[in-house]
């Protein structure tokens, strides 16, 4: 939820498997993205950008800045998923334009073939249209994973995040997304926000979980420090 480069460098070395920079709800504009890319050029873990929308220009810019992949929100169906996938890869697989920043920052850009192989295009399932077309989305060439947004999925289905996560029926929204991903042999991920929700998502068989946010860990850390000071000696 921040674009603070010192915090991001620290988070990338804190034991997490991956981090995501949020350009949909966070304060990451195209200028900030470049600062983030320079700061994370030697990141020991992959870093992804959640782009603001299904936007080929933003997807290309995030990858030019060195992101290992993109998380594309607000997808309304298979056509959006295809547009996102095409934007994430160079021809002949897609329509990405050449313009990586790594060489300008003293690094080496991967070849187009290597970039196409390494990139990960995650498409979010968080709208009724995306859920209806989840099988076609998961089958879209170049979609490497489907990523559940429980907050928007709950909002758009007139339910709550708790009810969504507790729904263990085979035709429940989360089970449908997981099943579609499995059928197509692609990854499935989700946003949790809290460790409790992360465990509930893991119980649904979801392997890639955005457990918390930078703002969340700062608050939790401060709370833990203050509680430790209040504890009787
Ligand atoms: C959602 O839950 O809707 C999200 O997009 C999480 O970031
Ligand atoms: Mg969302």
């Amino acid at each position: 939820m921040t674009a603070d480069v010192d915090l991001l460098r620290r988070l990338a070395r804190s034991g997490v498997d991956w981090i995501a920079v949020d350009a949909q709800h966070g304060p990451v504009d195209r200028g900030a993205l470049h600062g983030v890319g320079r700061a994370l050029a030697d990141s020991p873990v992959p870093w992804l950008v959640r782009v603001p929308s299904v936007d080929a220009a933003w997807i290309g810019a995030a990858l030019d800045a060195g992101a290992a992949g993109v998380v594309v929100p607000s997808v309304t169906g298979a056509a959006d998923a295809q547009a996102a996938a095409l934007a994430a890869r160079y021809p002949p697989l897609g329509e990405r334009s050449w313009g990586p920043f790594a060489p300008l920052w003293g690094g080496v850009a991967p070849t187009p073939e290597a970039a196409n192989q390494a990139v990960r295009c995650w498409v979010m399932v968080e709208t009724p249209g995306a859920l209806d077309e989840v099988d076609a989305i998961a089958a879209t060439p170049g979609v490497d994973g489907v990523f559940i947004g429980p907050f928007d999925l709950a909002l758009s289905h007139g339910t709550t995040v708790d009810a969504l996560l507790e729904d263990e029926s085979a035709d429940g929204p989360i089970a449908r997304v997981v099943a579609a991903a499995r059928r197509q042999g692609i990854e499935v991920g989700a946003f949790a926000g809290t460790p409790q929700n992360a465990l509930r998502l893991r119980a649904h068989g979801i392997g890639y979980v955005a457990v918390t946010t930078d703002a969340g860990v700062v608050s939790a850390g401060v709370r833990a420090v203050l509680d430790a000071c209040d504890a009787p000696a």
Side-chain angles (χ1 to χ4, degrees), residues 24-25 50 124 126 149 152:
Q24 183 188 23
H25 294 296
R50 175 162 65 174
M124 290 195 74
E126 54 180 356
D152 282 319

Side-chain angles (χ1 to χ4, degrees), residues 7-212:
L7 179 59
L8 287 170
R9 283 184 62 80
R10 189 162 200 148
L11 286 173
R13 288 163 178 80
S14 66
V16 297
D17 295 314
W18 58 286
I19 59 179
V21 178
D22 190 7
Q24 183 188 23
H25 294 296
V28 182
D29 60 16
R30 290 279 297 267
L33 176 68
H34 274 253
V36 168
R38 270 197 304 276
L40 294 180
D42 61 351
S43 173
V45 294
W47 64 280
L48 309 178
V49 175
R50 175 162 65 174
V51 295
S53 61
V54 185
D55 179 338
W58 249 101
I59 292 170
L63 300 176
D64 287 347
V70 287
V71 182
V72 183
S74 310
V75 162
T76 59
D80 277 353
Q82 189 185 25
L86 289 174
R89 285 184 167 85
Y90 296 112
L93 300 182
E95 297 170 350
R96 182 179 168 194
S97 166
W98 182 257
F101 264 73
L104 300 180
W105 294 335
V108 178
T111 63
E113 294 76 21
N116 279 354
Q117 176 118 38
V119 71
R120 288 291 167 266
C121 178
W122 290 88
V123 162
M124 290 195 74
V125 177
E126 54 180 356
T127 69
L131 188 60
D132 284 349
E133 296 187 14
V134 68
D135 274 291
I137 289 172
T140 301
V143 168
D144 303 294
V146 281
F147 200 92
I148 300 169
F151 285 84
D152 282 319
L153 197 57
L155 262 180
S156 62
H157 283 80
T159 183
T160 63
V161 172
D162 281 339
L164 197 68
L165 297 186
E166 277 158 25
D167 184 350
E168 287 171 3
S169 56
D171 61 351
I174 294 190
R176 283 173 58 196
V177 181
V178 172
R182 289 222 175 108
R183 273 192 292 275
Q184 299 303 329
I186 65 168
E187 304 291 356
V188 57
F191 177 80
T194 63
Q196 294 79 8
N197 283 353
L199 293 175
R200 290 155 98 190
L201 289 162
R202 293 282 297 269
H204 278 279
I206 296 175
Y208 285 75
V209 181
V211 176
T212 186

Side-chain angles (χ1 to χ4, degrees), residues 208-224:
Y208 285 75
V209 181
V211 176
T212 186
T213 64
D214 43 15
V217 290
V218 169
S219 301
V222 171
R223 190 69 262 154

